[in-house]
């Protein structure tokens, strides 16, 4: 067993009690018209969507919340004894790790067909439900000419002025993508140079965004939608920060997805497949476009007009199915001193 998997298992042990306490509802009795969803997306974000699913389908949901990496570790630890029907993940890497462990069933073909193939698993074991681009959020007062490449972040002028969230799933997915694009040695070289820039670590992307907006740091590595969330909450005139989309093909511009997988051991596989299909349906896709400022992935639903169209982005050529090596990524981050969990 690798050190990283041991760390993941330990993480599961630490959060298991909290996950159990965060379950929606306390009825543990069998219910044929119920599914258990392990959600790596926050309760605040997806609870309204889950409640609408129940209203529209009559299928009850017991949702348990924790980070996507933590949920992946829990599912791998539980194996085929897991009570979960569905894994709803913030990113493709965590889904890939669970799929790699042989725990996910194929998604129904009709559901897969609704989303472009590049946003789902190559083997059909998970389907993307919303997209997000990695960007540089910047304070134009402190960084009037921000870089648009990750190598540009290594310039001396940005030392001590960059924020990032080292334990965040999307940051770790970016690092995995960097490993795919540049190899482990190239990724380690960049990470060590980035570490030498004295980047400021924050708990999550929200904290990074807010630090940039307030001028605590000049730049931050986040997903695109965090800025739009702040604009929607405070109004555009009250927000200083701006997004810088990365140069074509740059590793920092990875387009990742939130996605859903159905467990092979699901007590209610029909309900689980219905949940997956619902998330790529029109109402859920509009929810992602309007409520979370993410990119809808199913045809016929447009993103927010504030954002550049997904088709206009030129992300690096990374197969999202290759983001499943979470363990090696975490080991590399520990090795380079950028992850201390």
């Amino acid at each position: 067993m690798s050190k990283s998997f041991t760390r993941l298992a330990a993480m599961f042990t630490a959060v298991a009690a909290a996950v159990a306490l965060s379950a929606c509802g306390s009825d543990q009795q069998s219910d044929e018209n119920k599914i258990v969803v392990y959600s790596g997306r926050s309760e605040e974000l997806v609870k309204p969507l889950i409640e609408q699913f129940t209203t529209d389908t009559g299928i009850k949901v017991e949702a348990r919340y924790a980070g996507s990496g933590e949920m992946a570790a829990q599912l791998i630890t539980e194996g085929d004894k897991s009570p979960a029907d569905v894994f709803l993940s913030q990113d493709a890497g965590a889904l890939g790790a669970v799929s790699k462990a042989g725990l996910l069933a194929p998604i129904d073909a009709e559901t897969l067909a609704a989303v472009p193939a590049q946003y789902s698993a190559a083997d059909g074991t998970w389907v993307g439900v919303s997209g997000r681009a990695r960007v540089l959020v910047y304070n134009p007062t402190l960084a009037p000419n921000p870089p648009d490449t990750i190598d540009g972040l290594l310039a001396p002028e940005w030392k001590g002025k960059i924020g990032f969230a080292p334990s965040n799933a999307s940051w770790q997915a970016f690092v995995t993508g960097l490993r795919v694009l540049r190899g482990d040695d190239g990724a380690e070289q960049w990470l060590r140079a980035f570490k030498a820039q004295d980047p400021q670590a924050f708990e999550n992307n929200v904290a990074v965004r807010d630090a940039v907006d307030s001028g605590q740091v000049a730049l931050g590595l986040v997903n695109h939608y965090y800025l739009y969330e702040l604009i929607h909450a405070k109004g555009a005139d009250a927000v200083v920060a701006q997004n810088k989309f990365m140069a074509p093909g740059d590793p920092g511009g990875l387009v990742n997805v939130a996605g859903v997988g159905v467990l092979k051991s699901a007590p209610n596989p029909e309900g689980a497949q219905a949940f997956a299909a619902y998330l790529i349906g029109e109402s859920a896709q509009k929810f992602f476009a309007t409520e979370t400022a993410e990119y809808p992935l199913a045809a016929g639903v447009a993103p927010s007009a504030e954002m550049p169209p997904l088709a206009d982005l030129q992300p690096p050529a990374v197969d999202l199915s290759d983001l499943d090596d979470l363990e090696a990524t975490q080991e590399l981050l520990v090795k380079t001193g950028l992850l201390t969990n």
Side-chain angles (χ1 to χ4, degrees), residues 10 38 73 75 85 95 101 103 114 125 148 159 165 167 211 216 224 228 236 238-239 249 253 255 264 278 312 332 335:
Y38 278 20
L75 286 164
D85 294 282
L95 279 163
L103 300 176
T125 54
D148 63 358
K159 186 167 185 176
S167 62
Q216 183 178 346
H224 78 273
Y228 299 113
V239 175
V255 172
K264 282 183 179 178
Y278 187 85
D312 289 355
L332 181 58
K335 179 181 179 181

Side-chain angles (χ1 to χ4, degrees), residues 35 59 85 108 262 266-275:
I35 59 172
I59 300 172
D85 294 282
D108 286 348
V262 172
N268 185 354
E270 294 82 7
Q273 292 286 355
F275 184 75

Side-chain angles (χ1 to χ4, degrees), residues 131 224 285-286 288-290 293-298 300-311:
H224 78 273
Q285 291 292 290
K286 286 183 176 178
F288 291 126
T290 60
E294 294 174 274
Y295 285 102
L297 297 180
V301 180
S304 167
E306 301 168 309
M307 305 184 319
L310 186 57

